[in-house]
């Protein structure tokens, strides 16, 4: 029970990586708040976390790209649990397009959700972490935050920016008992990867299995990462034992990116 008495807020906690992180932190005793736009999904995760892990959990509707929505849901978590000790900025989208066919809307959507959402949540919750002299901010970036790839310029730009934000804030808060780190996964077995497989199938005529192999082959381990592997790393960063890890952008990708 390494997180007993802690409260964790996970954005995009309704499915995929965010859901796995909610369970990993709850199993160590943290009270959990999950927020996303699809209320039914976060409500379901909160109910399952409580019944399977025996901790209090809540959900709230939140669009992280909207400042007022973030501030409102952060306030509702603080009203219920009194604090947020661990913020996991996980909410994100990934759409592909050649750069010359990238619309203003696609570009702005990526920056608004992936980057601005991370900033709004961080800004809203840091002051109350300072009051207790303890906090953890874990940003789910991507290896697209470390390296380039074709047809995902908006996603790549947004994730590079998240890594930059992580490094800057980590140094700013280093003496306040708060750590700020990014996790940079390669392809992870979630709806997001399923969408990438569907795109490859649609654009190339490959079968689903062949398209999956394209993603597998991007990793030297020839496989996708599981959400539970990402959650295990997030758990380490959330614990007291992880307090020396700060300002890092840690790859979890089987060795695809070596910087
Ligand atoms: P996912 O299964 O599509 O889940 C994304 C979550 O983010 C959902 O709960 C979604 O809920 C939420 N979300 C999206 N837009 C939001 C918004 N505007 N406000 C609040 N919540 C929002 O994707 P995932 O694979 O778990 O991805 C989680 C994170 O990992 C993302 O940041 C992604 O970029 C990153 N990542 C994923 C992979 C991968 O291969 N899967 C690889 C590297 C990094 P609603 O749609 O209901 O709002």
């Amino acid at each position: 029970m390494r997180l007993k008495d802690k409260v964790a807020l996970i954005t995009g906690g309704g499915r995929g990586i965010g859901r796995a992180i909610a369970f990993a932190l709850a199993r160590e005793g943290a009270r959990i708040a999950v927020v996303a736009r699809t209320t039914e999904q976060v409500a379901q995760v909160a109910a399952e976390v409580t019944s399977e892990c025996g901790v209090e959990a809540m959900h709230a509707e939140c669009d992280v790209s909207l400042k007022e929505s973030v501030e409102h849901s952060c306030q509702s978590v603080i009203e219920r649990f009194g604090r947020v000790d661990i913020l996991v900025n996980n909410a994100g989208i990934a759409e592909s397009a050649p750069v010359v066919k990238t619309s203003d809307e696609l570009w702005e959507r990526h920056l608004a959700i992936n980057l601005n959402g991370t900033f709004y949540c961080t800004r809203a919750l840091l002051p109350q972490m300072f009051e207790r002299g303890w906090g953890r901010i874990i940003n789910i970036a991507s290896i697209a935050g470390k390296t380039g790839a074709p047809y995902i310029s908006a996603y790549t730009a947004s994730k590079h920016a998240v890594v930059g934000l992580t490094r800057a804030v980590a140094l700013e808060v280093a003496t306040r008992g708060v750590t700020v780190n990014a996790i940079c996964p390669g392809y992870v077995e979630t709806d997001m990867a399923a969408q990438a497989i569907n795109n490859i199938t649609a654009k190339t005529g490959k079968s689903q299995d062949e398209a999956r192999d394209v993603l597998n082959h991007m990793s030297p381990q020839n496989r996708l990462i599981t959400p539970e592997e990402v959650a295990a790393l997030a758990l380490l960063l959330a614990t007291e034992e992880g307090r020396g890890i700060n300002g890092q952008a840690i790859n979890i990708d089987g060795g695809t990116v070596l910087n």
Side-chain angles (χ1 to χ4, degrees):
M1 285 294 168
R2 285 180 289 172
L3 300 179
K4 193 171 175 299
D5 302 327
K6 301 291 189 219
V7 174
L9 168 57
I10 299 128
T11 69
R15 58 179 190 264
I17 294 169
R19 181 181 189 282
I21 292 174
F23 275 90
L25 303 185
R27 283 191 203 100
E28 290 292 335
R31 285 174 284 168
I32 300 293
V34 277
V35 305
R37 295 169 300 183
T38 313
T39 319
E40 307 79 56
Q41 289 187 346
V42 277
Q44 175 85 19
V45 169
E48 288 174 8
V49 157
T50 296
S51 68
E52 291 180 29
C53 307
V55 297
E56 278 184 89
M58 66 171 282
H59 71 277
E61 184 182 337
C62 178
D63 182 338
V64 295
S65 69
L66 304 174
K67 188 172 50 179
E68 296 74 20
S69 178
V70 167
E71 285 167 2
H72 184 263
S73 48
C74 287
Q75 204 45 49
S76 71
V77 178
I78 288 170
E79 271 165 29
R80 167 87 186 265
F81 291 141
R83 57 207 276 170
V84 174
D85 304 289
I86 300 159
L87 165 64
V88 184
N89 284 308
N90 165 77
I93 56 162
E95 296 167 49
S96 58
V99 66
V100 294
K101 291 191 176 167
T102 294
S103 65
D104 291 354
E105 291 74 22
L106 187 152
W107 179 262
E108 280 156 17
R109 199 158 51 239
H110 280 75
L111 294 184
I113 296 175
N114 298 356
L115 176 60
N116 296 357
T118 301
F119 164 63
Y120 292 148
C121 294
T122 300
R123 184 177 61 181
L125 292 171
L126 262 176
Q128 51 91 52
M129 292 179 183
F130 292 157
E131 281 171 21
R132 287 182 302 281
W134 201 98
R136 297 285 183 267
I137 298 179
I138 301 163
N139 297 328
I140 309 303
S142 166
I143 53 172
K146 294 274 192 78
T147 188
Y151 309 122
I152 51 167
S153 54
Y155 183 71
T156 303
S158 72
K159 293 297 187 178
H160 270 68
V162 168
V163 170
L165 176 68
T166 302
R167 290 171 171 157
V169 179
L171 296 187
E172 190 173 318
V173 305
T175 60
R176 313 288 295 262
V178 178
T179 68
V180 187
N181 291 288
I183 294 178
C184 297
Y187 274 105
V188 183
E189 293 277 10
T190 69
D191 290 357
M192 196 177 271
Q195 186 59 47
I197 289 169
N198 287 339
N199 284 345
I200 293 169
T201 301
K203 294 208 171 103
T204 65
K206 288 183 195 292
S207 70
Q208 288 271 312
D209 284 348
E210 288 166 340
R212 169 175 285 277
D213 269 344
V214 171
L215 301 192
N216 285 338
H217 289 325
M218 288 180 184
S219 165
Q221 292 182 338
N222 196 23
R223 69 178 185 94
L224 271 55
I225 299 294
T226 67
E228 289 70 28
E229 291 174 88
V230 181
L233 179 53
L235 173 61
L236 170 65
L237 296 175
T239 58
E240 195 53 33
E241 293 93 319
R243 68 187 177 281
I245 307 171
N246 189 34
Q248 302 304 310
I250 304 171
N251 302 345
I252 175 163
D253 65 347
T256 309
V257 172
L258 297 178
N259 67 299

